[in-house]
mmCIF file with all atom_site columns, all heavy atoms in Angstrom:
data_model
loop_
_atom_site.group_PDB
_atom_site.id
_atom_site.type_symbol
_atom_site.label_atom_id
_atom_site.label_alt_id
_atom_site.label_comp_id
_atom_site.label_asym_id
_atom_site.label_entity_id
_atom_site.label_seq_id
_atom_site.pdbx_PDB_ins_code
_atom_site.Cartn_x
_atom_site.Cartn_y
_atom_site.Cartn_z
_atom_site.occupancy
_atom_site.B_iso_or_equiv
_atom_site.pdbx_formal_charge
_atom_site.auth_seq_id
_atom_site.auth_comp_id
_atom_site.auth_asym_id
_atom_site.auth_atom_id
_atom_site.pdbx_PDB_model_num
ATOM 1   N N   . GLU C 1 10 ? 5.496  -4.316 63.802 1.00 0.00 ? 391 GLU C N   1
ATOM 2   C CA  . GLU C 1 10 ? 5.236  -5.118 65.003 1.00 0.00 ? 391 GLU C CA  1
ATOM 3   C C   . GLU C 1 10 ? 5.307  -4.221 66.237 1.00 0.00 ? 391 GLU C C   1
ATOM 4   O O   . GLU C 1 10 ? 6.381  -3.763 66.627 1.00 0.00 ? 391 GLU C O   1
ATOM 5   C CB  . GLU C 1 10 ? 6.265  -6.242 65.129 1.00 0.00 ? 391 GLU C CB  1
ATOM 6   C CG  . GLU C 1 10 ? 6.193  -7.283 64.030 1.00 0.00 ? 391 GLU C CG  1
ATOM 7   C CD  . GLU C 1 10 ? 7.226  -8.378 64.230 1.00 0.00 ? 391 GLU C CD  1
ATOM 8   O OE1 . GLU C 1 10 ? 7.431  -8.799 65.392 1.00 0.00 ? 391 GLU C OE1 1
ATOM 9   O OE2 . GLU C 1 10 ? 7.836  -8.796 63.240 1.00 0.00 ? 391 GLU C OE2 1
ATOM 10  N N   . LYS C 1 11 ? 4.155  -3.989 66.844 1.00 0.00 ? 392 LYS C N   1
ATOM 11  C CA  . LYS C 1 11 ? 4.117  -3.121 68.028 1.00 0.00 ? 392 LYS C CA  1
ATOM 12  C C   . LYS C 1 11 ? 4.954  -3.692 69.162 1.00 0.00 ? 392 LYS C C   1
ATOM 13  O O   . LYS C 1 11 ? 5.587  -2.948 69.924 1.00 0.00 ? 392 LYS C O   1
ATOM 14  C CB  . LYS C 1 11 ? 2.671  -2.936 68.488 1.00 0.00 ? 392 LYS C CB  1
ATOM 15  C CG  . LYS C 1 11 ? 2.519  -1.908 69.598 1.00 0.00 ? 392 LYS C CG  1
ATOM 16  C CD  . LYS C 1 11 ? 1.062  -1.660 69.940 1.00 0.00 ? 392 LYS C CD  1
ATOM 17  C CE  . LYS C 1 11 ? 0.942  -0.589 71.016 1.00 0.00 ? 392 LYS C CE  1
ATOM 18  N NZ  . LYS C 1 11 ? -0.481 -0.314 71.349 1.00 0.00 ? 392 LYS C NZ  1
ATOM 19  N N   . SER C 1 12 ? 4.978  -5.026 69.267 1.00 0.00 ? 393 SER C N   1
ATOM 20  C CA  . SER C 1 12 ? 5.735  -5.665 70.345 1.00 0.00 ? 393 SER C CA  1
ATOM 21  C C   . SER C 1 12 ? 7.221  -5.347 70.230 1.00 0.00 ? 393 SER C C   1
ATOM 22  O O   . SER C 1 12 ? 7.900  -5.121 71.239 1.00 0.00 ? 393 SER C O   1
ATOM 23  C CB  . SER C 1 12 ? 5.518  -7.180 70.326 1.00 0.00 ? 393 SER C CB  1
ATOM 24  O OG  . SER C 1 12 ? 5.910  -7.732 69.074 1.00 0.00 ? 393 SER C OG  1
ATOM 25  N N   . LEU C 1 13 ? 7.733  -5.310 69.004 1.00 0.00 ? 394 LEU C N   1
ATOM 26  C CA  . LEU C 1 13 ? 9.153  -5.001 68.832 1.00 0.00 ? 394 LEU C CA  1
ATOM 27  C C   . LEU C 1 13 ? 9.427  -3.529 69.142 1.00 0.00 ? 394 LEU C C   1
ATOM 28  O O   . LEU C 1 13 ? 10.436 -3.198 69.760 1.00 0.00 ? 394 LEU C O   1
ATOM 29  C CB  . LEU C 1 13 ? 9.610  -5.334 67.413 1.00 0.00 ? 394 LEU C CB  1
ATOM 30  C CG  . LEU C 1 13 ? 11.132 -5.250 67.232 1.00 0.00 ? 394 LEU C CG  1
ATOM 31  C CD1 . LEU C 1 13 ? 11.643 -6.410 66.398 1.00 0.00 ? 394 LEU C CD1 1
ATOM 32  C CD2 . LEU C 1 13 ? 11.550 -3.931 66.606 1.00 0.00 ? 394 LEU C CD2 1
ATOM 33  N N   . ARG C 1 14 ? 8.506  -2.660 68.729 1.00 0.00 ? 395 ARG C N   1
ATOM 34  C CA  . ARG C 1 14 ? 8.688  -1.236 69.043 1.00 0.00 ? 395 ARG C CA  1
ATOM 35  C C   . ARG C 1 14 ? 8.731  -1.035 70.556 1.00 0.00 ? 395 ARG C C   1
ATOM 36  O O   . ARG C 1 14 ? 9.579  -0.311 71.082 1.00 0.00 ? 395 ARG C O   1
ATOM 37  C CB  . ARG C 1 14 ? 7.558  -0.396 68.433 1.00 0.00 ? 395 ARG C CB  1
ATOM 38  C CG  . ARG C 1 14 ? 7.473  -0.473 66.915 1.00 0.00 ? 395 ARG C CG  1
ATOM 39  C CD  . ARG C 1 14 ? 6.672  0.672  66.311 1.00 0.00 ? 395 ARG C CD  1
ATOM 40  N NE  . ARG C 1 14 ? 5.358  0.859  66.867 1.00 0.00 ? 395 ARG C NE  1
ATOM 41  C CZ  . ARG C 1 14 ? 4.250  0.269  66.415 1.00 0.00 ? 395 ARG C CZ  1
ATOM 42  N NH1 . ARG C 1 14 ? 4.326  -0.582 65.393 1.00 0.00 ? 395 ARG C NH1 1
ATOM 43  N NH2 . ARG C 1 14 ? 3.072  0.523  66.955 1.00 0.00 ? 395 ARG C NH2 1
ATOM 44  N N   . ASN C 1 15 ? 7.809  -1.701 71.252 1.00 0.00 ? 396 ASN C N   1
ATOM 45  C CA  . ASN C 1 15 ? 7.771  -1.577 72.712 1.00 0.00 ? 396 ASN C CA  1
ATOM 46  C C   . ASN C 1 15 ? 9.019  -2.172 73.358 1.00 0.00 ? 396 ASN C C   1
ATOM 47  O O   . ASN C 1 15 ? 9.546  -1.627 74.338 1.00 0.00 ? 396 ASN C O   1
ATOM 48  C CB  . ASN C 1 15 ? 6.521  -2.262 73.269 1.00 0.00 ? 396 ASN C CB  1
ATOM 49  C CG  . ASN C 1 15 ? 5.255  -1.498 72.939 1.00 0.00 ? 396 ASN C CG  1
ATOM 50  O OD1 . ASN C 1 15 ? 5.299  -0.300 72.658 1.00 0.00 ? 396 ASN C OD1 1
ATOM 51  N ND2 . ASN C 1 15 ? 4.117  -2.177 72.958 1.00 0.00 ? 396 ASN C ND2 1
ATOM 52  N N   . LEU C 1 16 ? 9.482  -3.288 72.806 1.00 0.00 ? 397 LEU C N   1
ATOM 53  C CA  . LEU C 1 16 ? 10.674 -3.942 73.353 1.00 0.00 ? 397 LEU C CA  1
ATOM 54  C C   . LEU C 1 16 ? 11.887 -3.021 73.253 1.00 0.00 ? 397 LEU C C   1
ATOM 55  O O   . LEU C 1 16 ? 12.646 -2.867 74.215 1.00 0.00 ? 397 LEU C O   1
ATOM 56  C CB  . LEU C 1 16 ? 10.940 -5.247 72.602 1.00 0.00 ? 397 LEU C CB  1
ATOM 57  C CG  . LEU C 1 16 ? 12.126 -6.083 73.101 1.00 0.00 ? 397 LEU C CG  1
ATOM 58  C CD1 . LEU C 1 16 ? 11.858 -6.584 74.515 1.00 0.00 ? 397 LEU C CD1 1
ATOM 59  C CD2 . LEU C 1 16 ? 12.388 -7.254 72.157 1.00 0.00 ? 397 LEU C CD2 1
ATOM 60  N N   . LEU C 1 17 ? 12.046 -2.403 72.102 1.00 0.00 ? 398 LEU C N   1
ATOM 61  C CA  . LEU C 1 17 ? 13.167 -1.474 71.935 1.00 0.00 ? 398 LEU C CA  1
ATOM 62  C C   . LEU C 1 17 ? 13.062 -0.300 72.905 1.00 0.00 ? 398 LEU C C   1
ATOM 63  O O   . LEU C 1 17 ? 14.044 0.117  73.509 1.00 0.00 ? 398 LEU C O   1
ATOM 64  C CB  . LEU C 1 17 ? 13.214 -0.952 70.497 1.00 0.00 ? 398 LEU C CB  1
ATOM 65  C CG  . LEU C 1 17 ? 13.908 -1.826 69.460 1.00 0.00 ? 398 LEU C CG  1
ATOM 66  C CD1 . LEU C 1 17 ? 13.741 -1.232 68.069 1.00 0.00 ? 398 LEU C CD1 1
ATOM 67  C CD2 . LEU C 1 17 ? 15.381 -2.000 69.781 1.00 0.00 ? 398 LEU C CD2 1
ATOM 68  N N   . LYS C 1 18 ? 11.853 0.219  73.051 1.00 0.00 ? 399 LYS C N   1
ATOM 69  C CA  . LYS C 1 18 ? 11.667 1.373  73.942 1.00 0.00 ? 399 LYS C CA  1
ATOM 70  C C   . LYS C 1 18 ? 11.986 1.024  75.393 1.00 0.00 ? 399 LYS C C   1
ATOM 71  O O   . LYS C 1 18 ? 12.509 1.847  76.140 1.00 0.00 ? 399 LYS C O   1
ATOM 72  C CB  . LYS C 1 18 ? 10.232 1.900  73.826 1.00 0.00 ? 399 LYS C CB  1
ATOM 73  C CG  . LYS C 1 18 ? 9.967  2.665  72.535 1.00 0.00 ? 399 LYS C CG  1
ATOM 74  C CD  . LYS C 1 18 ? 8.626  3.371  72.552 1.00 0.00 ? 399 LYS C CD  1
ATOM 75  C CE  . LYS C 1 18 ? 7.474  2.398  72.501 1.00 0.00 ? 399 LYS C CE  1
ATOM 76  N NZ  . LYS C 1 18 ? 6.164  3.092  72.417 1.00 0.00 ? 399 LYS C NZ  1
ATOM 77  N N   . MET C 1 19 ? 11.663 -0.220 75.783 1.00 0.00 ? 400 MET C N   1
ATOM 78  C CA  . MET C 1 19 ? 11.815 -0.602 77.191 1.00 0.00 ? 400 MET C CA  1
ATOM 79  C C   . MET C 1 19 ? 13.211 -1.098 77.544 1.00 0.00 ? 400 MET C C   1
ATOM 80  O O   . MET C 1 19 ? 13.652 -0.943 78.679 1.00 0.00 ? 400 MET C O   1
ATOM 81  C CB  . MET C 1 19 ? 10.786 -1.684 77.546 1.00 0.00 ? 400 MET C CB  1
ATOM 82  C CG  . MET C 1 19 ? 9.353  -1.183 77.588 1.00 0.00 ? 400 MET C CG  1
ATOM 83  S SD  . MET C 1 19 ? 8.199  -2.443 78.201 1.00 0.00 ? 400 MET C SD  1
ATOM 84  C CE  . MET C 1 19 ? 8.325  -3.694 76.930 1.00 0.00 ? 400 MET C CE  1
ATOM 85  N N   . THR C 1 20 ? 13.906 -1.714 76.589 1.00 0.00 ? 401 THR C N   1
ATOM 86  C CA  . THR C 1 20 ? 15.159 -2.391 76.938 1.00 0.00 ? 401 THR C CA  1
ATOM 87  C C   . THR C 1 20 ? 16.412 -1.547 76.749 1.00 0.00 ? 401 THR C C   1
ATOM 88  O O   . THR C 1 20 ? 17.467 -1.888 77.281 1.00 0.00 ? 401 THR C O   1
ATOM 89  C CB  . THR C 1 20 ? 15.321 -3.689 76.115 1.00 0.00 ? 401 THR C CB  1
ATOM 90  O OG1 . THR C 1 20 ? 15.301 -3.370 74.720 1.00 0.00 ? 401 THR C OG1 1
ATOM 91  C CG2 . THR C 1 20 ? 14.219 -4.678 76.434 1.00 0.00 ? 401 THR C CG2 1
ATOM 92  N N   . VAL C 1 21 ? 16.307 -0.470 75.998 1.00 0.00 ? 402 VAL C N   1
ATOM 93  C CA  . VAL C 1 21 ? 17.498 0.360  75.753 1.00 0.00 ? 402 VAL C CA  1
ATOM 94  C C   . VAL C 1 21 ? 17.541 1.514  76.755 1.00 0.00 ? 402 VAL C C   1
ATOM 95  O O   . VAL C 1 21 ? 16.540 2.208  76.945 1.00 0.00 ? 402 VAL C O   1
ATOM 96  C CB  . VAL C 1 21 ? 17.489 0.915  74.309 1.00 0.00 ? 402 VAL C CB  1
ATOM 97  C CG1 . VAL C 1 21 ? 18.682 1.844  74.081 1.00 0.00 ? 402 VAL C CG1 1
ATOM 98  C CG2 . VAL C 1 21 ? 17.502 -0.234 73.300 1.00 0.00 ? 402 VAL C CG2 1
ATOM 99  N N   . PRO C 1 22 ? 18.681 1.743  77.400 1.00 0.00 ? 403 PRO C N   1
ATOM 100 C CA  . PRO C 1 22 ? 18.805 2.869  78.346 1.00 0.00 ? 403 PRO C CA  1
ATOM 101 C C   . PRO C 1 22 ? 19.018 4.181  77.587 1.00 0.00 ? 403 PRO C C   1
ATOM 102 O O   . PRO C 1 22 ? 20.115 4.739  77.548 1.00 0.00 ? 403 PRO C O   1
ATOM 103 C CB  . PRO C 1 22 ? 20.035 2.481  79.173 1.00 0.00 ? 403 PRO C CB  1
ATOM 104 C CG  . PRO C 1 22 ? 20.879 1.681  78.231 1.00 0.00 ? 403 PRO C CG  1
ATOM 105 C CD  . PRO C 1 22 ? 19.921 0.933  77.341 1.00 0.00 ? 403 PRO C CD  1
#
Side-chain angles (χ1 to χ4, degrees):
E391 295 181 40
K392 187 175 182 179
S393 58
L394 189 138
R395 299 198 307 270
N396 289 338
L397 183 65
L398 277 174
K399 286 190 291 184
M400 290 187 296
T401 58
V402 177

